[in-house]
Amino acid sequence: VRTLDWSACGIRLIDQNRLPDEELFLMVREVDELVAHIQSLAVRGAMALGVAGALGMALAAVRAKERGEDLDAALDEAATKLSNSRPTAVNLSIGVENVARARREGAGVAELVEVALAMRDADIEANLAIGLRGAELLRGARRILTHCNAGALAGVEHGTALSVVMALQREQPLDVVYVCETRPLLQGVRLTAWELARGGVEHRVIVDAAAAGLMLGGEVDAVVVGADRIAANGDVANKVGSLSHALAAHRAGIPFVVAAPEDTIDAGTASGADIPIEYRSESEVLTFEGREIGPPKSKALNPAFDVTPADLVTAVVTQRRTILPATDQVAPALPHPDTTGVCPSTP
Ligand code: MRU
């Protein structure tokens, strides 16, 4: 699947809210539409958000030129709207900033589009490399547990955690991938299971609460998840529920591996306590298929992400290195909001 792409008419993206029932592609012609699709999770997942941010800026530039509007004003407005549309995945603001920086350095509209397309292509390459590196680390693991969707749909192609799964599967078919359903928006059962079924990977969907019991019962060899932001000290923000899996994996003595591109490491965020966590609507928790499932007076709390402390993370696998956060330096802390720092490679 190519989750999102650039076309002559605008940005083409698969509507993830319609999966697995329907493979419907949307054509996004305006930045405001893209912002709405990001907020509704029609396009979601850290790397897909990064590329969407960059393509959104390119779209703003193209439209400003067509309408004879001021290019810099249009880009400033688009940058604010896109960067604020979801707070946790650092990739989104990096995608926006990459195009904004090119403009500050004098790029014209065609070059801005090129910058966004280069991000799209780099994402594909990085995800393939992450898959191979992760498979090397986990060689021999035949029963993998994953949470949310860190697959092709969370990037342009391939994904991160599922890129590792697919690379292992290519070496030797896996016994099973346990797919946590991922309450409340069900990215696991709707999206990850859809990808694994298409890829012919043996899998079982489980309720999130079943994961710890399976791990402590010796049924899982490794947990592999993606990340929305990794702080300079190695703390990892990912879909809510990831922390519970890390705690269970620690107790069960199995690896908890985070697969993510270098961009997800945010040198400008010192620790997990500084990562902005998105709180989403109460209705996502209190309704199911449009029907209220709780008593009318009950309220809900809906953090969309949680933070796993670095000491519970066995390894972070990027396209360039395998970091062991307990002992390696993940990134030098930079003053916020400079999220562009290049992280040193670990020998
Ligand atoms: O709310 P979502 O669906 O955007 O959350 C996505 C996740 O938490 C993924 O695990 C994360 O983005 C890593 S995948 C690149």
Side-chain angles (χ1 to χ4, degrees):
V1 184
R2 179 159 288 205
T3 303
L4 74 169
D5 212 342
W6 182 250
S7 87
C9 306
I11 302 167
R12 184 176 186 268
L13 53 89
I14 190 164
D15 184 347
Q16 300 194 34
N17 287 325
R18 306 289 274 266
L19 288 171
D21 298 337
E22 230 184 329
E23 292 175 32
L24 181 79
F25 283 84
L26 303 169
M27 186 57 71
V28 182
R29 293 183 166 81
E30 300 293 339
V31 171
D32 285 347
E33 278 175 64
L34 179 61
V35 167
H37 290 316
I38 289 173
Q39 288 174 335
S40 76
L41 308 199
V43 57
R44 48 144 299 281
M47 297 95 54
L49 290 173
V51 175
L55 293 177
M57 290 290 281
L59 186 63
V62 168
R63 292 290 175 264
K65 187 176 174 194
E66 282 169 3
R67 293 172 183 145
E69 290 167 1
D70 182 80
L71 179 57
D72 292 310
L75 285 173
D76 281 352
E77 191 186 334
T80 305
K81 286 179 178 172
L82 288 163
S83 302
N84 292 337
S85 57
R86 291 196 78 192
T88 304
V90 68
N91 310 64
L92 176 57
S93 46
I94 289 176
V96 168
E97 173 55 20
N98 281 349
V99 179
R101 189 184 325 109
R103 175 61 192 160
R104 287 196 298 277
E105 289 166 0
V109 173
E111 290 160 298
L112 297 178
V113 174
E114 288 306 318
V115 170
L117 295 184
M119 258 195 94
R120 173 200 64 187
D121 297 342
D123 186 68
I124 297 171
E125 220 174 284
N127 288 351
L128 274 175
I130 288 168
L132 296 177
R133 187 181 292 281
E136 203 177 304
L137 181 74
L138 291 174
R139 187 152 295 130
R142 312 302 326 152
R143 301 165 303 168
I144 306 289
L145 184 138
T146 191
H147 190 69
C148 193
N149 172 266
L153 293 164
V156 180
E157 288 178 15
H158 309 298
T160 53
L162 286 198
S163 183
V164 176
V165 164
M166 291 303 187
L168 284 168
Q169 169 83 8
R170 281 194 296 274
E171 287 176 8
Q172 186 192 334
L174 290 165
D175 292 351
V176 64
V177 177
Y178 292 111
V179 177
C180 294
E181 61 171 351
T182 317
R183 277 278 292 156
L185 295 180
L186 305 176
Q187 289 94 329
V189 59
R190 291 190 303 106
L191 308 177
T192 298
W194 180 75
E195 288 192 36
L196 293 176
R198 279 170 64 113
V201 181
E202 187 65 35
H203 62 284
R204 294 284 182 282
V205 177
I206 58 170
V207 297
D208 301 330
L214 287 172
M215 283 188 247
L216 269 62
E219 300 290 328
V220 180
D221 298 323
V223 179
V224 188
V225 297
D228 285 82
R229 190 184 300 232
I230 301 173
N233 73 342
D235 292 347
V236 174
N238 192 49
K239 178 55 58 192
V240 67
S242 301
L243 169 59
S244 312
H245 301 327
L247 286 163
H250 184 70
R251 177 65 192 258
I254 60 172
F256 180 87
V257 174
V258 173
E262 288 282 336
D263 270 357
T264 304
I265 299 174
D266 181 8
T269 295
S271 78
D274 306 306
I275 297 177
I277 297 295
E278 176 182 10
Y279 278 75
R280 294 184 59 88
S281 156
E282 291 183 46
S283 69
E284 291 179 353
V285 177
L286 293 173
T287 59
F288 186 72
E289 293 185 330
R291 194 176 65 82
E292 306 234 334
I293 51 174
K297 285 193 177 152
S298 290
K299 290 185 164 297
L301 191 65
N302 187 13
F305 300 93
D306 58 26
V307 174
T308 299
D311 63 308
L312 292 178
V313 177
T314 311
V316 175
V317 177
T318 79
Q319 68 271 42
R320 289 213 300 266
R321 51 191 177 139
T322 299
I323 310 161
L324 309 178
T327 50
D328 295 346
Q329 185 185 31
V330 179
L334 294 177
H336 213 65
D338 182 354
T339 54
T340 60
V342 177
C343 305
S345 285
T346 306

